[in-house]
Each structure stands twice: as structure tokens, then as C-alpha cells.
Amino acid sequence: MQNTVLANGAKERPGWDTVNWQRTNRIVRNLRMRIFKASQAGNLVEARSLQKLMLRCRSNTLVSVRRVTQQNRGKNTSGVDRVIIQTSEARMQLVEDVHADQPWKASPARRVYIPKANGKLRPLGIPTVRDRVMQARVKNAMEPEWEARFEPTSYGFRPGRSPHDAISMIFNLANPRGRLKWIVDADIKGAFDNIGHAPLIQAIGLAPGRELVRQWLKSGVVEDGSWTASEQGTPQGGVISPLLANIALHGMEEALDIKRGYKGRPNWKNKRALVRYADDFVVFCESKEDAERVVDKLKTWLAVRGLELSSEKTHIVHITEGFDFLGFNVRQYEVPGSRLGTKLFIQPSKASIAKFTARIRDEVLALAGLNAKVVIHRLRPIVVGWGNYFRVAASNRVFHKLDNWLSWRLVRWVKRRHPSKSWRWQKQRYFGRFDPSRQDRWVFGDIETGQYLTKLGFLGIERHTMVRQGASPDDPSLQKYWRQRMTKAPGARVSKRRNILIHAQRGLCPVCDDVLFNGEDIVEHRTILTKTHPERDFLRNIRLLHALCRDQLQSKLGFARLQFGAELLRGA
């Protein structure tokens, strides 16, 4: 079918299902790298020019719409207008609306509350889908500039960085050989809700998009039908809010007189060290007196930004007392007879274990009366997700205890489901050696389907390789480094078969040329379309794709286009 020719001679733009995502992602990625390089070189004139180009770039709009309406967890969450985008036609219309709407008028955020670990409620501000798309566009323009400036020990909500990188840095600093034994375990009180608007706008400077940021900060929130002005803070729930929080907290190392040496490496003369994950951070000091001075300095520095330390969550402790950070407990234990006298252990904190067991208990109680297949389906993501997060630490002992506890909970579930059956029948029906690669005969499973609940101990311990100091995916000089790093699933355990496919594809999706592990679901696609073909399931004929890319490939103008897509993938 030919494209319709418009009155001015231009052709009608293609639909959402025919977008060339390889080209689109490449344009955005190259622009981000150019902005990073200009910012790194201190050439703000060129950086500002490239940022304006990014804001006018249609590819940036396409990528932003896909991220907000198809990739992000909140894709089905609406703002004050109660609008969500779920069809290809609506996504393409959103692209046209956002790309052409000038000047922009921000809508207020919708106030919702989610429970916190301490039993309190955390307020979230949910912008409209249109505002979220525009925020994603502005973020692509602003983030590379700040990635070239951010401190290397800032790990929260930054591309290519994770909580495991922060824990790895703490492992290096808390080593018994180190001289920094006193810890300021700090937390900022309501950081997102109390950031001062004036100092934040001043920090952003003359960057393109600053007036849009000002609108989002001042747009207010709607709760129970009434509008409330926002005089401070950034709404949690916005796409750009984590970046704004990192900008507001940038400069903490300089405030604490922590200097950087060659290529951003820490100066060996420093008497302090900082590890920050968003608004949660720790400072390593040589003495308790210096730790107290650090607290005073931080109070003064944060006050300028409208922030203050949380008195109930800020403590000064010795490394032998231990502290909790990002769900882990970090502590040096005395080991009599050892050369150093102490040994460092990083393991799941008591609060994390209590939260996990409480969730499992609630889930098992809610599953009373359902069959084993449903129990496995509900519990497996929780167990594997929790285990993958904590398997980077010394968690073997904790995993073994929790596996025993979980088996006991499931025994109670079995006895409640079949009260009239004997224990021998119950054991043979629900417990056994379901995993043939292991000798464990106490694995909970479904005898009809062969499905079983993975134990924490099955995941094993795998140390995390910390990201290089100061490294950013936007740095064009580190493309080879990031290609090698992307070939590994972050914090996940994958099968040997899937690992081979990931390495063969260099960690990229061959349809959109984006990283496989970007938050989207991953599926397998056979390049041989005939289901009866004897070589259909050979590894050389399988590609890992994003589910959205697979859907696009299968929707392209019938079988002929799909056949062409198969040939394209076969050569990838």
C-alpha cells in the first residue's frame, strides 16, 4: 500500500509498527555521546547546541514514547487526566502531539501513597503520560551533560550503575586493612519532597529544558480532587525526578574535602570516603571526632538545598558494630588468631530477612486451597528475585536457613490442604528430587507438570564486578568496555543455553539494537519459521529479542515482510 501524499508534497509518516528502532536508538545514543563528550571537555556552548538538537529530534520523541508507554513499570498508571496509552495508533498520535506541541503546558501530578518498610506511607506524584514523555525527552538531553560531571561514588538512578556497585565499593572501603573505621550512616529526611527549587534551578543553569523543569516543579499535585501548590521538592513518580535529585545532591564530595586523583580515582591522602545511592549514603572516617565534624558539615551543606539529615536514621558507628545499607548488613567480626584480627562480612540485614519472610508468609496463607502449580507460580519470582539481589554477598548461611524455613511453611500448607492424607502420601505428592541435577529430595514441586520451586541455595553465590570508577555508557571512549559488560544479565542467573545466546548477540537485541536488559521482557525467536523444520531449535537459529520487538517483527505487513525479518535476523 502506497503512502498518501499530503497537500504540501510530504509523505505520511509510517506507523508505530514500522518504526526502524535500530536507526532511532542509534541517533539518540550518538547524540547522548556527543553531549557527554562536549560536557567532559568543558565546551558548554557545543553541549547546549546539541541539547537543543536532542529536544528537536524526532527519534528522541519516539524513544521516549516507547519507554513511557511500553517499557516502564508505570505504563498502565494514569495521571490526573486518567489517560493511558495501549495501542500502536495511540502511541503514534502521542508522538505527533508531543513533538508538535509548543509552548508546553505542564499538568499537575496525581497524588498516591505507597507503604514504606517502616509502616509509614510514601507520597508519589504521578504525572500525565504526556508529561512523562516530555520528561523523558528532556532527560535524554540533560543526563549526558551531568553524567560527565557526577561524582564516581554516586550510584543511585544512573545508567550502568546498580546497588551492587555501591556495595562493592563499600566492600573495598570496609576491608580490615583499611584505616577508615568510623562510619556516618546517614539518610536525608524526605529528600525528594524537600529539595529547594531555587538552588536546583541554579544548579541546572542555562541548559535547554530548564523552563520545562521549572514548570514540573511548580505544577503542584491533585489529591481527592483538590489542587495543592508545590513550593519545594520533586514529585516521586516522575521520569526526570531521580536525575533532579542527583543534580541537587551533586557536590557532596567537594563539601567533605574528598579529592579525586588520576582519572577520577580517589586520592590516597583523603581521610574520608563517600558512597551515595540517591539520598541514602555513608561516609567513612578515621575517627569518631572526624565523623561528628562530617555530620555538622553535611547539615550546613544540605540546609542550603532545603534539606536536613534524618535524626532517627543517621548514626555514627564503628565498623565492628556494623551498619545497614541498601538491605545489606556490613560489619567486621573479631576472628581470634587471624593476622588482621577481624574479618569483613556483608550479608542480608535482619530487616531484609524479616521483610522477605513476612511476604512469603502472607503469600502462602493467601494461597490456601489452591494447587501446587499456582503456589510455585506465585512464589518463584519472589524467591529468585530476592536471592539474585543478595547472592553477591556472603549469603550462603542465610540462604540455607531460609530454605529450611520455607520448606516448613510449605509443609504446613500441604497439611492444611490434605488434612486427611498420611504424611507419607503428602511427602511423595509434593516433595522430592524435582531438580535432577541435585540430590535434594526436599524440593517442593508439582508432580503432574514437573515444575518446582527453586531454592535460594540453588542460586549460589556470585561476586559482582564493580563498575569502573567514573565510567558512563555515554562515554564514546568506553564503548568496548560497556559492550563486554552488557553481555551479562545484571543481578540475574541465566541458563548456560541463554548465556551462549547473550554472548553471541553481544548483549544486544538485533531488532532495535538496544541492550537486552533494559527492563523489557525477553523472548526467543526462531529464524526458521517452519515449525516442522529439523534445525528449528538449533542455537544458531535462535535469537533473543525484546517482546515488543518480536511483536513488531510479527506484525510487519504479513508473511513476506516476516520472512524478510527472519533473513535479517539470520545474518545478525
Side-chain angles (χ1 to χ4, degrees):
M1 181 178 178
Q2 294 182 347
N3 290 331
T4 305
V5 179
L6 304 182
N8 60 4
K11 291 185 177 181
E12 185 181 0
R13 294 193 182 274
W16 183 259
D17 293 329
T18 60
V19 174
N20 186 337
W21 289 109
Q22 281 197 4
R23 179 176 180 272
T24 301
N25 286 328
R26 184 171 63 250
I27 290 173
V28 174
R29 184 165 56 245
N30 288 346
L31 268 176
R32 286 181 62 106
M33 288 183 178
R34 291 173 66 188
I35 296 170
F36 178 94
K37 190 174 180 180
S39 177
Q40 191 179 49
N43 189 348
L44 283 184
V45 174
E46 182 180 357
R48 299 289 182 251
S49 177
L50 291 169
Q51 287 173 325
K52 291 178 183 177
L53 181 60
M54 178 71 88
L55 291 176
R56 295 193 300 267
C57 179
R58 183 178 175 82
S59 294
N60 183 22
T61 307
L62 287 167
V63 168
S64 300
V65 169
R66 176 170 178 169
R67 180 166 297 132
V68 170
T69 64
Q70 291 186 293
Q71 295 177 0
N72 288 359
R73 291 182 180 179
K75 59 188 176 184
N76 294 322
T77 304
S78 62
V80 292
D81 57 359
R82 299 294 179 178
V83 172
I84 58 176
I85 305 298
Q86 294 182 319
T87 66
S88 298
E89 293 76 13
R91 293 185 187 100
M92 210 63 203
Q93 186 60 49
L94 181 61
V95 170
E96 303 299 339
D97 292 345
V98 171
H99 200 66
D101 197 343
Q102 296 294 335
W104 188 260
K105 176 64 176 176
S107 301
R110 181 169 67 93
R111 174 71 78 201
V112 297
Y113 294 90
I114 60 173
K116 296 172 64 175
N118 58 7
K120 298 181 180 179
L121 294 177
R122 183 191 304 277
L124 296 183
I126 309 298
T128 63
V129 174
R130 294 177 76 254
D131 274 316
R132 274 179 271 170
V133 171
M134 184 60 80
Q135 288 182 17
R137 296 178 73 225
V138 174
K139 183 180 178 182
N140 273 334
M142 292 179 56
E143 191 173 50
E145 175 197 352
W146 284 94
E147 277 295 306
R149 299 164 59 181
F150 279 145
E151 297 147 335
T153 51
S154 167
Y155 296 99
F157 306 116
R158 293 181 57 189
R161 293 172 176 245
S162 69
H164 293 159
D165 293 309
I167 293 299
S168 297
M169 174 56 74
I170 285 180
F171 177 82
N172 294 337
L173 293 171
N175 193 294
R177 295 183 180 86
R179 68 181 190 278
L180 306 179
K181 302 291 186 181
W182 286 91
I183 315 298
V184 178
D185 179 17
D187 184 82
I188 300 173
K189 185 177 182 180
F192 282 85
D193 299 325
N194 296 302
I195 292 175
H197 291 173
L200 177 57
I201 295 296
Q202 183 179 359
I204 292 174
L206 300 177
R210 64 188 180 279
E211 292 304 321
L212 290 170
V213 173
R214 192 192 305 273
Q215 280 196 53
W216 291 316
L217 293 176
K218 299 294 184 181
S219 61
V221 295
V222 173
E223 183 177 1
D224 296 330
S226 61
W227 177 81
T228 304
S230 50
E231 301 299 332
Q232 59 186 13
T234 63
Q236 295 186 62
V239 175
I240 203 171
S241 295
L243 173 62
L244 297 180
N246 276 329
I247 293 174
L249 295 175
H250 175 65
M252 192 177 290
E253 277 196 343
E254 183 180 354
L256 297 177
D257 299 322
I258 300 174
K259 297 178 175 58
R260 288 279 152 187
Y262 178 68
K263 290 187 176 181
R265 295 170 185 166
N267 192 319
W268 66 272
K269 294 182 180 180
N270 286 330
K271 296 183 179 180
R272 298 165 182 163
L274 169 71
V275 179
R276 181 172 68 84
Y277 191 89
D279 60 334
D280 195 5
F281 61 93
V282 292
V283 184
F284 287 75
C285 307
E286 284 189 324
S287 64
K288 185 176 182 180
E289 292 72 22
D290 186 51
E292 293 171 347
R293 288 192 292 270
V294 164
V295 172
D296 293 336
K297 279 192 173 186
L298 287 173
K299 288 181 178 179
T300 304
W301 185 80
L302 290 171
V304 177
R305 290 153 179 80
L307 300 171
E308 61 177 314
L309 292 177
S310 172
S311 57
E312 60 182 18
K313 295 183 179 180
T314 301
H315 312 281
I316 297 176
V317 297
H318 193 268
I319 191 62
T320 55
E321 299 175 55
F323 63 95
D324 292 347
F325 188 68
L326 301 179
F328 294 86
N329 178 262
V330 183
R331 182 179 177 184
Q332 285 184 14
Y333 290 85
E334 294 185 2
V335 181
S338 65
R339 185 165 59 90
L340 298 173
T342 60
K343 187 173 182 179
L344 175 66
F345 280 96
I346 300 180
Q347 52 194 346
S349 66
K350 291 182 178 179
S352 299
I353 296 172
K355 185 177 180 181
F356 173 74
T357 53
R359 183 178 180 185
I360 293 292
R361 185 185 299 110
D362 293 341
E363 290 286 348
V364 172
L365 290 175
L367 292 168
L370 299 177
N371 58 39
K373 185 178 178 180
V374 177
V375 173
I376 295 168
H377 178 74
R378 290 276 291 273
L379 295 185
R380 181 187 286 163
I382 301 173
V383 173
V384 174
W386 195 87
N388 279 334
Y389 183 79
F390 287 104
R391 67 194 292 249
V392 301
S395 305
N396 260 331
R397 189 175 177 183
V398 173
F399 283 1
H400 181 68
K401 287 185 176 181
L402 288 175
D403 282 337
N404 290 339
W405 175 85
L406 181 54
S407 296
W408 173 75
R409 293 296 313 184
L410 293 172
V411 166
R412 293 188 63 184
W413 176 88
V414 171
K415 288 183 176 295
R416 191 181 301 114
R417 178 170 170 76
H418 302 283
S420 61
K421 297 292 185 180
S422 66
W423 166 238
R424 182 177 180 181
W425 182 94
Q426 294 171 347
K427 181 179 180 299
Q428 290 178 345
R429 177 66 177 78
Y430 290 102
F431 294 94
R433 189 182 165 191
F434 283 94
D435 188 342
S437 64
R438 299 179 179 275
Q439 298 297 324
D440 193 336
R441 298 184 179 277
W442 279 95
V443 179
F444 181 82
D446 181 18
I447 198 170
E448 296 178 357
T449 63
Q451 297 180 13
Y452 63 92
L453 181 62
T454 303
K455 287 190 172 184
L456 291 169
F458 292 179
L459 301 176
I461 303 300
E462 183 176 333
R463 298 303 180 188
H464 177 74
T465 302
M466 187 176 68
V467 68
R468 187 183 297 179
Q469 286 278 338
S472 170
D474 294 319
D475 190 344
S477 65
L478 295 177
Q479 291 187 61
K480 183 178 179 181
Y481 168 77
W482 286 104
R483 278 199 301 269
Q484 293 173 346
R485 193 170 178 86
M486 284 188 299
T487 58
K488 181 176 175 56
R493 180 175 181 261
V494 297
S495 64
K496 181 179 180 181
R497 174 174 173 274
R498 178 157 286 198
N499 200 36
I500 292 173
L501 294 172
I502 293 170
H503 279 80
Q505 297 176 201
R506 297 179 302 163
L508 301 175
C509 171
V511 174
C512 67
D513 202 33
D514 196 7
V515 294
L516 279 170
F517 303 101
N518 65 354
E520 297 185 49
D521 294 332
I522 299 173
V523 296
E524 293 184 359
H525 178 80
R526 269 66 175 174
T527 58
I528 294 178
L529 302 177
T530 308
K531 293 184 178 180
T532 58
H533 197 287
E535 297 184 1
R536 174 179 167 82
D537 292 327
F538 285 14
L539 282 180
R540 65 173 176 268
N541 298 316
I542 300 175
R543 298 291 182 270
L544 295 178
L545 310 179
H546 296 132
L548 302 175
C549 294
R550 191 269 311 274
D551 295 342
Q552 183 194 36
L553 191 66
Q554 292 181 346
S555 65
K556 283 188 175 180
L557 303 181
F559 181 80
R561 192 63 174 269
L562 182 58
Q563 188 71 35
F564 171 76
E567 295 294 334
L568 179 67
L569 287 178
R570 195 172 291 124

